[in-house]
Amino acid sequence: MSLDKLHIIPLGGLGEFGMNCCAIRYGDHIIVIDAGLMFPDEELLGVDIVVPDIGYLVENREKVKAILLTHGHEDHIGGLPWILTELRDVPVYGTEFTLAYVEGKLEEHKLLDDTEMLEMIPGEQFQVGPFRIQPIRVTHSLVDCVSLAIHTPIGTILHTGDFKVDLASPDGHPFDLQAFAELGRNGGVLALLQDSTNVDRPGHTPSELAVKPRLDEIFGRTKKRLFFSCFSSSIHRLKLAFELADKHDRKVAVIGRSLDNSTEIATDLGYIDIPPGILINGGQIRDYPPEKVCVLISGTQGEPMSALSRAAVDNHKHARIEPGDTVLLSSRIIPGNEKGIFRMIDHLVRRDANVIFDDGTQGIIHVSGHGSQEELRLMINLVRPKYFIPVHGDYRHLKRHAELAASTGIPKQTFLLEDGDVLELTRDSATRKDKVQAGRILIDDGSTADVVDDLVIRDRRHLSEAGLLLPILAINKLTGLVEGAPEIIARGFAVPDPAILTEARQVIARTLDASSNEEKGDYGVIKEKIRTDLKRYIQKNTSRRPLIMPVILEI
């Protein structure tokens, strides 16, 4: 590869929300920005997580020099165990808090001992091959997040990661406007890859502190227990919950593994300062008057086995919700989760709880972690890119973002890339090249070993829609003769008339009568003949197409 050319290769996160992963290649050196996962939609039956297809990285394994993480959300780090399993021996760079999240994830997958994790500090540059990496502090709904300015021999590539411009961040680490302005003053960046999540929202995204007045009011007027639920990664919100509980003289119990883990990490790293004596365990909740208790509880998205979902149906050992209690969901409703969330809210209302959630009428109880249109324009104006590539979003978001960037008059050219596209850059040009292997890998049970191919998903969908028929035959191993009449077991297949199954048995018998002894002796052949004849009969008489799987028993 020519040393005057650089390639930008998105492998995930363009055309979907989640699965963020982007490769940048110069010569024989590749760095990877983020390693995210995506949670499956309803059509991916039984699939637990979706990760990017990294076939391109595997083909070029010896050239991959580092994985750089912008922050610790699952859509940026959740696919890391899968990628490390495939690549091995690739160092992982992240900020202190991000690496704390990653450590637990790698330990769970038994990859921690074999992975070199290197801390990057905002404002301190470091070298990876020909790339000089400059992490720049940004604000988001999580703490310790960075954009990455990647200085290369042909120019600077800026990947924003997820960001909003918050100059009054609760953790005391505001968005670093100065560093971005400096990039612009030094001639601008060659290419800007920018977060598209909130491109449809006009104006500015409110600061994390914008929720404080309304949450303070809720704490003040709640007469009984207050159950406070937010995303476990919303460290700013957890910090605020502890501060308000202390102000309103409430003890705090943390319920739920993800919340407990985040609280512990944030406390150890100094992002949350828990007032002395305020923390109690779940078993102590009933030792205090209801008006003296705040329960931080996981499950804001109505996940079936989450602590809040179980408490909503009175099935949690410690979290018992009683009439007059208040349940605050300080989070947004993620599209696709509406059914589960509102089902949980219905259960809570049946228990005569006062439920407060983000329905547009409750005041500001949650703010986004992504920049709106004016912040996106601000970034473009600050760094003055020659080329612009929108990232992180469905295609319509990328398209809208490209139009917004073009309207500023700053980028010389915008590129609407999708996963697998290759953008070749020189100092003076940008050109699309041929695509590389990209797509998605479906994983069952959260195990990097349990990869599910499209055929399995198709069979699962087939089963869910049309059911299953199991024709069972017993064949004498010595004589080759069929013993007794064939049996048919139906599962998930509504038989409109019992006579249909009776006739189906006769169809099988006729298929056997019309088959030679040699065919009957070849179980593969006879199974396929039975399946074909039975499929034709069932489809003709029921207009249904169940999955038909003949079973032959040797006796």
Side-chain angles (χ1 to χ4, degrees):
M1 180 177 172
S2 172
L3 288 182
D4 62 351
K5 295 177 180 177
L6 180 141
H7 287 169
I8 295 175
I9 310 162
L11 298 174
L14 276 70
E16 66 265 323
F17 279 107
M19 217 168 66
N20 297 298
C21 185
C22 182
I24 296 179
R25 178 173 179 176
Y26 183 79
D28 287 336
H29 294 79
I30 296 173
I31 56 173
V32 180
I33 299 176
D34 287 333
L37 59 71
M38 183 169 65
F39 292 105
D41 51 35
E42 291 182 354
E43 69 180 28
L44 298 177
L45 301 170
V47 172
D48 290 305
I49 61 171
V50 184
V51 296
D53 183 339
I54 59 164
Y56 172 76
L57 299 180
V58 173
E59 290 173 10
N60 295 277
R61 182 185 282 109
E62 73 285 354
K63 298 180 178 68
V64 180
K65 306 304 180 184
I67 298 172
L68 311 172
L69 304 175
T70 60
H71 66 285
H73 276 143
E74 286 293 298
D75 57 333
H76 293 260
I77 68 169
L80 189 59
W82 160 255
I83 291 178
L84 289 175
T85 299
E86 293 294 297
L87 296 182
R88 298 285 183 185
D89 300 323
V90 179
V92 176
Y93 290 81
T95 59
E96 182 184 36
F97 189 89
T98 301
L99 292 182
Y101 265 16
V102 166
E103 183 175 337
K105 190 173 294 293
L106 296 186
E107 188 171 26
E108 181 182 341
H109 288 84
K110 297 179 172 58
L111 293 167
L112 184 59
D113 293 342
D114 299 324
T115 303
E116 183 182 14
M117 295 198 298
L118 301 168
E119 183 182 347
M120 55 184 178
I121 299 171
E124 295 188 9
Q125 301 185 27
F126 59 94
Q127 200 78 22
V128 178
F131 304 105
R132 181 163 49 88
I133 313 298
Q134 178 185 358
I136 302 175
R137 173 83 65 190
V138 295
T139 44
H140 184 42
S141 54
L142 188 61
V143 298
D144 218 5
C145 308
V146 292
S147 290
L148 296 172
I150 302 159
H151 303 284
T152 78
I154 66 163
T156 298
I157 310 300
L158 176 62
H159 193 298
T160 67
D162 289 352
F163 79 99
K164 68 177 181 182
V165 180
D166 190 346
L167 301 180
S169 180
D171 63 2
H173 297 296
F175 184 90
D176 192 351
L177 276 174
Q178 180 63 33
F180 291 106
E182 192 68 27
L183 292 175
R185 283 195 294 270
N186 291 336
V189 302
L190 181 63
L192 171 62
L193 289 77
Q194 180 163 266
D195 174 24
S196 306
T197 304
N198 273 358
V199 69
D200 288 333
R201 296 191 185 185
H204 296 82
T205 301
S207 165
E208 289 295 319
L209 289 178
V211 301
K212 185 172 183 177
R214 176 62 175 138
L215 298 190
D216 192 8
E217 178 190 344
I218 292 170
F219 268 83
R221 67 176 175 81
T222 296
K223 303 302 181 187
K224 298 188 73 177
R225 289 187 188 89
L226 174 60
F227 290 82
F228 187 113
S229 188
C230 65
F231 296 119
S232 62
S233 60
S234 295
I235 305 302
H236 300 307
R237 206 72 44 83
L238 295 175
K239 172 183 169 68
L240 183 57
F242 277 104
E243 290 174 357
L244 292 175
D246 187 41
K247 175 183 176 181
H248 293 277
D249 195 24
R250 288 178 181 265
K251 300 292 185 182
V252 178
V254 180
I255 303 292
R257 187 166 67 106
S258 60
L259 268 183
D260 194 49
N261 183 53
S262 289
T263 302
E264 182 178 349
I265 291 173
T267 304
D268 288 345
L269 297 182
Y271 288 96
I272 295 178
D273 185 14
I274 299 178
I278 195 175
L279 199 61
I280 60 174
N281 62 50
Q284 294 176 288
I285 291 175
R286 295 194 168 275
D287 295 342
Y288 296 88
E291 67 275 11
K292 296 294 184 182
V293 174
C294 171
V295 181
L296 297 183
I297 188 166
S298 62
T300 182
Q301 296 301 298
E303 302 93 328
M305 292 307 293
S306 67
L308 186 54
S309 287
R310 286 185 286 134
V313 293
D314 201 21
N315 189 31
H316 194 282
K317 181 166 62 173
H318 301 307
R320 306 294 293 272
I321 295 171
E322 298 177 350
D325 287 346
T326 294
V327 179
L328 169 62
L329 305 180
S330 182
S331 61
R332 73 184 181 98
I333 295 175
I334 295 177
N337 292 347
E338 295 91 347
K339 185 179 291 186
I341 292 172
F342 288 124
R343 182 169 56 240
M344 178 182 72
I345 289 174
D346 280 348
H347 286 304
L348 292 168
V349 173
R350 283 193 181 97
R351 314 201 81 75
D352 285 329
N354 174 33
V355 184
I356 301 172
F357 62 99
D358 191 12
D359 62 354
T361 68
Q362 301 285 353
I364 302 178
I365 61 172
H366 174 71
V367 292
S368 174
H370 300 269
S372 299
Q373 290 176 4
E374 292 309 311
E375 288 147 287
L376 303 180
R377 287 193 180 96
L378 173 63
M379 180 68 81
I380 293 169
N381 278 281
L382 282 173
V383 305
R384 308 193 65 78
K386 181 180 287 188
Y387 303 112
F388 180 83
I389 303 104
V391 296
H392 304 173
D394 293 332
Y395 192 81
R396 66 183 185 277
H397 294 87
L398 306 182
K399 174 72 171 174
R400 177 74 185 91
H401 200 177
E403 292 169 350
L404 180 145
S407 72
T408 67
I410 294 176
K412 175 182 176 182
Q413 197 171 354
T414 63
F415 288 91
L416 266 173
L417 302 184
E418 294 187 86
D419 297 342
D421 285 346
V422 178
L423 184 65
E424 183 177 274
L425 299 174
T426 69
R427 293 180 185 276
D428 304 307
S429 67
T431 312
R432 287 177 184 268
K433 309 300 285 186
D434 293 337
K435 291 176 75 77
V436 302
Q437 178 179 335
R440 61 186 188 178
I441 301 294
L442 313 178
I443 297 179
D444 269 356
D445 300 324
S447 167
T448 53
D450 294 336
V451 176
V452 183
D453 60 29
D454 289 338
L455 180 61
V456 173
I457 298 300
R458 189 180 68 191
D459 285 347
R460 289 176 180 177
R461 190 176 301 120
H462 195 164
L463 284 166
S464 72
E465 293 170 352
L468 172 70
L469 285 183
L470 290 173
I472 301 176
L473 295 80
I475 294 182
N476 189 303
K477 187 175 182 179
L478 297 177
T479 65
L481 298 176
V482 176
E483 300 283 348
E487 290 294 324
I488 297 179
I489 295 175
R491 290 291 183 268
F493 175 67
V495 183
D497 183 350
I500 288 177
L501 287 185
T502 301
E503 178 60 26
R505 294 186 185 95
Q506 295 174 8
V507 169
I508 297 172
R510 290 196 290 271
T511 300
L512 292 169
D513 290 342
S515 301
S516 66
N517 287 336
E518 190 175 11
E519 287 176 320
K520 292 177 187 176
D522 188 324
Y523 291 169
V525 171
I526 200 64
K527 281 182 180 181
E528 185 57 28
K529 289 188 70 173
I530 291 170
R531 192 190 69 79
T532 301
D533 291 347
L534 199 54
K535 175 184 174 182
R536 188 181 301 116
Y537 168 76
I538 293 294
Q539 189 172 349
K540 179 181 178 182
N541 288 274
T542 68
S543 299
R544 301 282 301 281
R545 301 181 64 180
L547 192 64
I548 299 173
M549 297 179 63
V551 176
I552 294 179
L553 305 175
E554 283 188 338
I555 59 173

